[in-house]
């Protein structure tokens, strides 16, 4: 079945640690996205990638980094510079950037120890 | 920039009641409009969409009509079920995708 797989489902970060969230898609989509969701709030865009080897900052990129070395993969690293990382992180993909349906993974819940 | 404003929740209804969740948007261009649904602990799923003015999106008994004159895309369902309990997000996509804050719906038996 085609879809988006995020792992792990739950992740815990220690103080000063970098952690990486995985996102893999087998939909052959060019565009991929990372969102952050806080309780009672909408989705905020962290980074997006329109094509392999290219990515752009979203609205809240500070403290995060990404790579897009393969079409199917778009990992997100939450660095120690992100002082408030506790949130639900959602990865999405679409055929192309903008005006297209986005397909979402099941999310990763990150907490700070 | 483009933005979406949707009705604040939470909304609590009895089974078989009529549902309306209001959504209005601001956009400089001609965006596509979407409703997504999020069940507890999951990602978002597309519920319905409309790509131009006067289009009506529909799915699973839910409907929304793209009203350019009122810049609205209100979600409606004639008879809700307990299984409809979820968070609903209105979204627009033009150059970027913008999501509303979400409206939590709880349907009681």
């Amino acid at each position: 079945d085609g879809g988006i797989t995020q792992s792990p489902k739950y992740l815990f970060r220690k103080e000063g640690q970098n952690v990486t969230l995985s996102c893999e898609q087998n939909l052959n989509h060019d565009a991929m996205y990372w969102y952050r969701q806080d309780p009672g709030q909408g989705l905020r865009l962290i980074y997006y990638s329109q094509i392999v080897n290219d990515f752009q900052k979203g609205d809240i990129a500070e403290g995060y980094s990404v790579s897009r070395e393969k079409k199917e993969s778009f990992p997100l690293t939450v660095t120690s510079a992100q002082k408030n990382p506790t949130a639900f992180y959602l990865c999405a993909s679409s055929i192309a950037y903008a005006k297209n349906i986005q397909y979402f993974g099941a999310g990763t819940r990150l907490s700070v120890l | 920039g483009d933005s979406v404003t949707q009705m604040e929740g939470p909304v609590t209804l009895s089974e078989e009641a009529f549902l309306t969740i209001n959504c209005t948007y601001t956009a400089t261009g001609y965006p596509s409009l979407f409703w997504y649904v999020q069940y507890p602990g999951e990602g978002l799923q597309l519920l319905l969409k409309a790509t131009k003015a006067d289009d009506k999106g529909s799915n699973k008994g839910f409907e929304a009509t793209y009203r350019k004159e009122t810049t609205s895309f209100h979600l409606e369902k004639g008879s809700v079920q307990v299984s409809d309990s979820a968070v609903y997000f209105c979204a627009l996509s033009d150059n970027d995708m913008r999501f509303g804050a979400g409206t939590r719906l709880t349907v009681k038996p």
Side-chain angles (χ1 to χ4, degrees):
Chain A
D1 285 339
I4 298 182
T5 302
Q6 289 188 241
S7 62
K9 192 168 177 65
Y10 300 96
L11 187 58
F12 297 91
R13 192 190 90 166
K14 295 179 181 179
E15 205 68 42
Q17 186 182 41
N18 293 351
V19 292
T20 298
L21 285 61
S22 171
C23 178
E24 303 278 331
Q25 55 100 356
N26 60 4
L27 299 168
N28 201 32
H29 286 172
D30 280 322
M32 296 187 75
Y33 314 81
W34 274 105
Y35 293 94
R36 170 177 171 143
Q37 186 178 24
D38 293 285
Q41 297 189 31
L43 279 64
R44 293 185 289 171
L45 183 65
I46 304 172
Y47 270 96
Y48 65 94
S49 167
Q50 297 188 50
I51 201 163
V52 176
N53 293 321
D54 179 69
F55 51 83
Q56 306 294 330
K57 292 182 179 180
D59 300 320
I60 56 165
E62 187 173 349
Y64 300 97
S65 66
V66 293
S67 63
R68 186 86 188 277
E69 297 175 2
K70 298 186 299 182
K71 188 174 186 177
E72 331 57 272
S73 179
F74 191 41
L76 173 74
T77 296
V78 183
T79 75
S80 56
Q82 173 49 247
K83 297 306 179 189
N84 184 23
T86 297
F88 191 51
Y89 291 86
L90 288 163
C91 179
S93 71
S94 61
I95 292 175
Y97 184 71
K99 291 204 175 184
N100 290 287
I101 299 168
Q102 291 190 9
Y103 296 84
F104 285 80
T108 293
R109 188 166 298 281
L110 176 62
S111 302
V112 176
L113 288 177
Chain B
D2 294 355
S3 66
V4 175
T5 302
Q6 65 180 99
M7 171 179 170
E8 286 189 23
V11 174
T12 303
L13 296 173
S14 297
E15 207 164 23
E16 299 183 3
F18 185 85
L19 168 70
T20 300
I21 300 177
N22 290 338
C23 171
T24 56
Y25 68 91
T26 302
T28 53
Y30 301 93
S32 296
L33 300 175
F34 307 85
W35 277 101
Y36 284 85
V37 59
Q38 184 180 33
Y39 298 101
E42 297 183 10
L44 278 67
Q45 304 173 25
L46 179 70
L47 182 59
L48 53 85
K49 66 170 183 153
T51 57
K52 61 183 187 299
D54 299 326
D55 268 1
K56 177 187 280 189
S58 61
N59 185 26
K60 299 180 182 179
F62 291 90
E63 292 183 340
T65 301
Y66 191 142
R67 302 283 189 203
K68 189 167 171 58
E69 64 276 12
T70 55
T71 62
S72 65
F73 192 55
H74 304 321
L75 182 68
E76 297 183 336
K77 186 175 185 183
S79 176
V80 293
Q81 306 300 312
V82 172
S83 57
D84 294 326
S85 298
V87 181
Y88 293 82
F89 291 90
C90 185
L92 71 79
S93 181
D94 195 353
N95 293 317
D96 299 301
M97 178 77 91
R98 295 292 176 192
F99 288 86
T103 301
R104 180 176 299 278
L105 170 66
T106 301
V107 181
K108 295 188 173 180

Short mmCIF file of all heavy atoms in Angstrom, two decimals, chain A residues 29 31 33 93-103, chain B residues 32 34 36 46 49 51 92-94 96-97:
data_model
loop_
_atom_site.label_atom_id
_atom_site.label_comp_id
_atom_site.label_asym_id
_atom_site.label_seq_id
_atom_site.Cartn_x
_atom_site.Cartn_y
_atom_site.Cartn_z
N HIS A 29 5.88 11.13 -4.72
CA HIS A 29 5.59 12.56 -4.67
C HIS A 29 6.87 13.38 -4.68
O HIS A 29 7.87 13.00 -4.08
CB HIS A 29 4.81 12.89 -3.39
CG HIS A 29 3.39 12.45 -3.46
ND1 HIS A 29 2.55 12.50 -2.36
CD2 HIS A 29 2.63 11.97 -4.48
CE1 HIS A 29 1.35 12.09 -2.71
NE2 HIS A 29 1.38 11.74 -3.99
N ALA A 31 6.99 16.72 -3.63
CA ALA A 31 7.03 17.67 -2.53
C ALA A 31 6.80 16.97 -1.18
O ALA A 31 5.97 16.06 -1.07
CB ALA A 31 5.96 18.74 -2.72
N TYR A 33 6.82 17.85 3.33
CA TYR A 33 6.64 18.92 4.31
C TYR A 33 6.78 18.38 5.72
O TYR A 33 6.46 17.23 5.99
CB TYR A 33 5.22 19.50 4.19
CG TYR A 33 4.74 19.80 2.80
CD1 TYR A 33 4.24 18.78 1.98
CD2 TYR A 33 4.77 21.09 2.28
CE1 TYR A 33 3.79 19.04 0.70
CE2 TYR A 33 4.32 21.36 1.00
CZ TYR A 33 3.84 20.33 0.21
OH TYR A 33 3.39 20.59 -1.06
N SER A 93 3.23 14.79 2.22
CA SER A 93 3.77 14.88 0.86
C SER A 93 2.65 15.20 -0.11
O SER A 93 1.46 15.00 0.19
CB SER A 93 4.45 13.57 0.45
OG SER A 93 3.50 12.54 0.25
N SER A 94 3.02 15.72 -1.27
CA SER A 94 2.04 15.99 -2.34
C SER A 94 2.73 15.80 -3.69
O SER A 94 3.97 15.85 -3.78
CB SER A 94 1.45 17.40 -2.22
OG SER A 94 2.45 18.39 -2.33
N ILE A 95 1.90 15.60 -4.71
CA ILE A 95 2.45 15.35 -6.04
C ILE A 95 3.42 16.46 -6.43
O ILE A 95 4.50 16.22 -6.96
CB ILE A 95 1.32 15.24 -7.08
CG1 ILE A 95 0.51 13.99 -6.83
CG2 ILE A 95 1.88 15.27 -8.49
CD1 ILE A 95 -0.70 13.87 -7.74
N ALA A 96 3.00 17.69 -6.22
CA ALA A 96 3.84 18.85 -6.48
C ALA A 96 3.52 19.89 -5.43
O ALA A 96 2.51 19.79 -4.73
CB ALA A 96 3.60 19.39 -7.88
N TYR A 97 4.36 20.90 -5.36
CA TYR A 97 4.15 21.93 -4.34
C TYR A 97 2.96 22.80 -4.69
O TYR A 97 2.76 23.16 -5.83
CB TYR A 97 5.41 22.79 -4.24
CG TYR A 97 5.33 23.82 -3.15
CD1 TYR A 97 5.38 23.44 -1.82
CD2 TYR A 97 5.18 25.16 -3.45
CE1 TYR A 97 5.29 24.37 -0.82
CE2 TYR A 97 5.10 26.10 -2.45
CZ TYR A 97 5.16 25.71 -1.13
OH TYR A 97 5.07 26.63 -0.14
N ALA A 98 2.14 23.12 -3.69
CA ALA A 98 1.04 24.07 -3.78
C ALA A 98 -0.15 23.55 -4.57
O ALA A 98 -0.01 22.80 -5.54
CB ALA A 98 1.50 25.40 -4.38
N LYS A 99 -1.32 23.90 -4.11
CA LYS A 99 -2.60 23.60 -4.74
C LYS A 99 -2.91 22.12 -4.86
O LYS A 99 -3.83 21.73 -5.55
CB LYS A 99 -2.72 24.25 -6.13
CG LYS A 99 -2.84 25.75 -6.05
CD LYS A 99 -3.53 26.31 -7.27
CE LYS A 99 -3.75 27.80 -7.09
NZ LYS A 99 -4.49 28.43 -8.16
N ASN A 100 -2.15 21.30 -4.21
CA ASN A 100 -2.39 19.86 -4.29
C ASN A 100 -2.74 19.28 -2.93
O ASN A 100 -2.34 19.79 -1.90
CB ASN A 100 -1.15 19.15 -4.83
CG ASN A 100 -0.92 19.44 -6.29
OD1 ASN A 100 -1.64 18.94 -7.15
ND2 ASN A 100 0.07 20.25 -6.57
N ILE A 101 -3.46 18.18 -2.96
CA ILE A 101 -3.79 17.46 -1.74
C ILE A 101 -2.51 17.01 -1.07
O ILE A 101 -1.60 16.49 -1.72
CB ILE A 101 -4.66 16.23 -2.06
CG1 ILE A 101 -5.98 16.67 -2.70
CG2 ILE A 101 -4.92 15.41 -0.79
CD1 ILE A 101 -6.74 15.51 -3.30
N GLN A 102 -2.44 17.23 0.25
CA GLN A 102 -1.32 16.72 1.01
C GLN A 102 -1.74 15.44 1.74
O GLN A 102 -2.83 15.36 2.28
CB GLN A 102 -0.83 17.77 2.01
CG GLN A 102 -0.17 18.95 1.32
CD GLN A 102 0.53 19.89 2.28
OE1 GLN A 102 0.69 19.60 3.46
NE2 GLN A 102 0.98 21.03 1.78
N TYR A 103 -0.85 14.47 1.74
CA TYR A 103 -1.07 13.19 2.41
C TYR A 103 -0.16 13.15 3.63
O TYR A 103 1.04 13.44 3.51
CB TYR A 103 -0.77 12.02 1.46
CG TYR A 103 -1.70 11.98 0.29
CD1 TYR A 103 -1.46 12.75 -0.84
CD2 TYR A 103 -2.85 11.18 0.31
CE1 TYR A 103 -2.33 12.74 -1.91
CE2 TYR A 103 -3.72 11.16 -0.77
CZ TYR A 103 -3.45 11.96 -1.87
OH TYR A 103 -4.31 11.95 -2.94
N SER B 32 -7.14 26.74 -3.87
CA SER B 32 -7.96 25.56 -3.65
C SER B 32 -8.27 25.50 -2.16
O SER B 32 -7.48 25.94 -1.34
CB SER B 32 -7.21 24.30 -4.07
OG SER B 32 -6.94 24.32 -5.46
N PHE B 34 -9.78 23.12 1.22
CA PHE B 34 -9.82 21.75 1.70
C PHE B 34 -10.42 21.70 3.10
O PHE B 34 -10.29 22.64 3.88
CB PHE B 34 -8.40 21.16 1.80
CG PHE B 34 -7.58 21.25 0.55
CD1 PHE B 34 -6.86 22.41 0.27
CD2 PHE B 34 -7.52 20.19 -0.34
CE1 PHE B 34 -6.08 22.50 -0.89
CE2 PHE B 34 -6.75 20.28 -1.49
CZ PHE B 34 -6.03 21.42 -1.75
N TYR B 36 -9.77 18.88 6.17
CA TYR B 36 -9.08 17.70 6.63
C TYR B 36 -9.68 17.30 7.98
O TYR B 36 -10.15 18.13 8.74
CB TYR B 36 -7.59 17.96 6.82
CG TYR B 36 -6.78 18.03 5.55
CD1 TYR B 36 -6.69 19.21 4.83
CD2 TYR B 36 -6.10 16.91 5.07
CE1 TYR B 36 -5.93 19.29 3.66
CE2 TYR B 36 -5.34 16.97 3.91
CZ TYR B 36 -5.27 18.16 3.22
OH TYR B 36 -4.52 18.23 2.06
N LEU B 46 -7.56 13.86 4.20
CA LEU B 46 -8.41 14.72 3.40
C LEU B 46 -9.87 14.27 3.52
O LEU B 46 -10.18 13.10 3.34
CB LEU B 46 -7.99 14.68 1.94
CG LEU B 46 -8.86 15.54 1.00
CD1 LEU B 46 -8.61 17.02 1.27
CD2 LEU B 46 -8.59 15.19 -0.45
N LYS B 49 -12.60 18.56 -0.91
CA LYS B 49 -11.90 19.71 -1.46
C LYS B 49 -12.75 20.39 -2.54
O LYS B 49 -13.69 19.79 -3.07
CB LYS B 49 -10.57 19.30 -2.07
CG LYS B 49 -10.70 18.42 -3.30
CD LYS B 49 -9.37 18.23 -4.00
CE LYS B 49 -9.59 17.39 -5.27
NZ LYS B 49 -8.61 17.67 -6.29
N THR B 51 -11.89 23.30 -5.86
CA THR B 51 -10.78 23.99 -6.53
C THR B 51 -11.16 25.32 -7.15
O THR B 51 -10.27 26.10 -7.52
CB THR B 51 -10.16 23.10 -7.61
OG1 THR B 51 -11.19 22.74 -8.54
CG2 THR B 51 -9.55 21.85 -7.01
N LEU B 92 -6.34 26.18 2.97
CA LEU B 92 -6.30 26.70 1.60
C LEU B 92 -4.91 26.49 1.04
O LEU B 92 -3.92 26.47 1.76
CB LEU B 92 -6.72 28.17 1.54
CG LEU B 92 -5.81 29.26 2.09
CD1 LEU B 92 -4.67 29.60 1.14
CD2 LEU B 92 -6.63 30.53 2.30
N SER B 93 -4.85 26.35 -0.26
CA SER B 93 -3.57 26.18 -0.93
C SER B 93 -3.53 27.01 -2.20
O SER B 93 -4.36 26.85 -3.07
CB SER B 93 -3.35 24.70 -1.27
OG SER B 93 -2.10 24.52 -1.90
N ASP B 94 -2.58 27.92 -2.21
CA ASP B 94 -2.32 28.69 -3.43
C ASP B 94 -0.82 28.58 -3.67
O ASP B 94 -0.34 27.57 -4.19
CB ASP B 94 -2.80 30.13 -3.28
CG ASP B 94 -2.90 30.83 -4.62
OD1 ASP B 94 -2.47 30.24 -5.63
OD2 ASP B 94 -3.40 31.96 -4.67
N ASP B 96 1.15 28.67 -0.99
CA ASP B 96 1.47 27.90 0.21
C ASP B 96 0.20 27.25 0.72
O ASP B 96 -0.90 27.66 0.38
CB ASP B 96 2.03 28.81 1.31
CG ASP B 96 3.30 29.51 0.89
OD1 ASP B 96 4.27 28.81 0.56
OD2 ASP B 96 3.31 30.75 0.88
N MET B 97 0.36 26.27 1.58
CA MET B 97 -0.80 25.67 2.25
C MET B 97 -0.95 26.34 3.61
O MET B 97 0.03 26.46 4.35
CB MET B 97 -0.59 24.16 2.43
CG MET B 97 -1.71 23.45 3.16
SD MET B 97 -3.17 23.17 2.13
CE MET B 97 -2.80 21.55 1.47
#
